[in-house]
Amino acid sequence: MIKLAKKIAFILTLALLLGLMLFFFFDKPLPEGEEGPAADQLADKMLRAVNYQAWESTVAAQWTFFRGHNFLWDKKRNLVRVLWDDFQVLLRTTDQSGKAFKNGKELSGDEASEALKTAWEYFANDSFWLAAPFKVYDPGTSRKLVKTDRGDALLVSYASGGVTPGDSYLWILDDDGTPQAWQLWVRIIPVGGMEFSWEGWETYENGVKLSNLHDGIMDIKISDIKLAMEVSDLNDGIDPFQNM
């Protein structure tokens, strides 16, 4: 027992030291920037590069996040179907209400509430990795132009929205405004400035451009991306929300 306790203590100490090393060597402060027309012009340039107008006119989106979460989103009606493991949730994104099922059986009470909460958290996070470039003017955002050794970058901060308000993202853009990477200052990652790539760009319905790979401390892959003008077009002609 003494040897086991010493081994556990050694592992915990090593993990703590590695965490401290990661923090001190890689943690970056939130960069300084300037709000105003120049920042908004850079944001507009990014929106043009990813075809924001086409995204806004597209009604439905479907994708699978790398953790096995599948989404069918009706943007016009603010409804999303979330599938994972044995769960299916039909969620209203405006107030996080809806219906939850496990193995085809509708849940109620605390089980339903927990499933709805989980579905909302999955959607808020996973849709952001899909569509964050389109959200630089969301309510509660501020934009700053940041001078970097990689050119002008766009710092977007979120005072509200999602499940972790207060997060900030620094967009690294190429010459035409297409995102190449972002650096994160977010609650769920204790090291500030962690970077993930935005790559695997493809063009979808109406000319919308979406990235399907984010390479960083882990690879975040998005697959089975489809867009349409009606949600039923992505679900064998059936509207999954007809009884909502």
Side-chain angles (χ1 to χ4, degrees):
M1 288 293 292
I2 295 177
K3 288 183 178 180
L4 178 60
K6 288 182 176 180
K7 186 175 181 180
I8 292 173
F10 173 77
I11 292 172
L12 291 174
T13 301
L14 182 61
L16 177 61
L17 289 173
L18 288 173
L20 289 172
M21 288 175 61
L22 182 67
F23 181 82
F24 284 113
F25 280 100
F26 295 99
D27 184 62
K28 301 176 183 177
L30 188 67
E32 298 289 334
E34 184 175 345
E35 290 188 71
D40 289 348
Q41 287 170 12
L42 190 57
D44 293 342
K45 184 178 182 179
M46 182 170 75
L47 291 177
R48 288 193 298 271
V50 296
N51 206 340
Y52 171 77
Q53 294 298 329
W55 169 258
E56 282 295 282
S57 67
T58 302
V59 173
Q62 176 179 290
W63 73 98
T64 299
F65 199 64
F66 79 111
R67 289 174 176 158
H69 311 156
N70 179 267
F71 302 89
L72 179 59
W73 181 18
D74 188 317
K75 295 164 57 211
K76 185 176 181 180
R77 292 184 289 172
N78 298 308
L79 299 170
V80 62
R81 183 184 69 190
V82 188
L83 306 176
W84 76 96
D85 297 334
D86 300 322
F87 290 90
Q88 174 180 248
V89 171
L90 303 177
L91 182 73
R92 297 181 183 90
T93 61
T94 50
D95 61 7
Q96 293 85 64
S97 65
K99 298 181 179 181
F101 304 82
K102 185 175 183 180
N103 292 317
K105 181 181 178 181
E106 186 167 2
L107 301 176
S108 61
D110 291 343
E111 288 185 318
S113 297
E114 185 62 29
L116 289 166
K117 179 176 180 290
T118 299
W120 165 245
E121 291 174 351
Y122 287 167
F123 173 73
N125 178 78
D126 301 0
S127 65
F128 199 66
W129 282 100
L130 176 77
F134 305 111
K135 299 176 70 62
V136 295
Y137 283 104
D138 274 13
T141 58
S142 62
R143 291 154 299 284
K144 294 181 179 180
L145 177 66
V146 178
K147 298 291 185 178
T148 76
D149 57 5
R150 296 152 79 178
D152 289 349
L154 180 68
L155 180 66
V156 182
S157 299
Y158 292 80
S160 61
V163 293
T164 57
D167 294 347
S168 296
Y169 305 82
L170 183 68
W171 289 100
I172 310 300
L173 310 175
D174 70 7
D175 291 341
D176 74 353
T178 301
Q180 298 299 295
W182 67 4
Q183 295 173 359
L184 288 66
W185 285 263
V186 298
R187 293 186 190 180
I188 62 172
I189 300 178
V191 178
M194 192 68 69
E195 182 167 315
F196 288 83
S197 69
W198 279 70
E199 54 188 293
W201 288 96
E202 294 187 19
T203 302
Y204 296 89
E205 179 84 8
N206 292 339
V208 177
K209 293 184 178 179
L210 296 169
S211 164
N212 59 35
L213 176 62
H214 311 294
D215 186 17
I217 55 173
M218 59 181 174
D219 288 347
I220 295 178
K221 298 180 180 179
I222 302 172
S223 59
D224 304 322
I225 300 174
K226 296 178 183 177
L227 303 179
M229 299 308 296
E230 296 290 342
V231 71
S232 58
D233 293 340
L234 301 177
N235 194 51
D236 298 324
I238 299 171
D239 177 3
F241 308 112
Q242 58 186 342
N243 294 321
M244 290 284 287

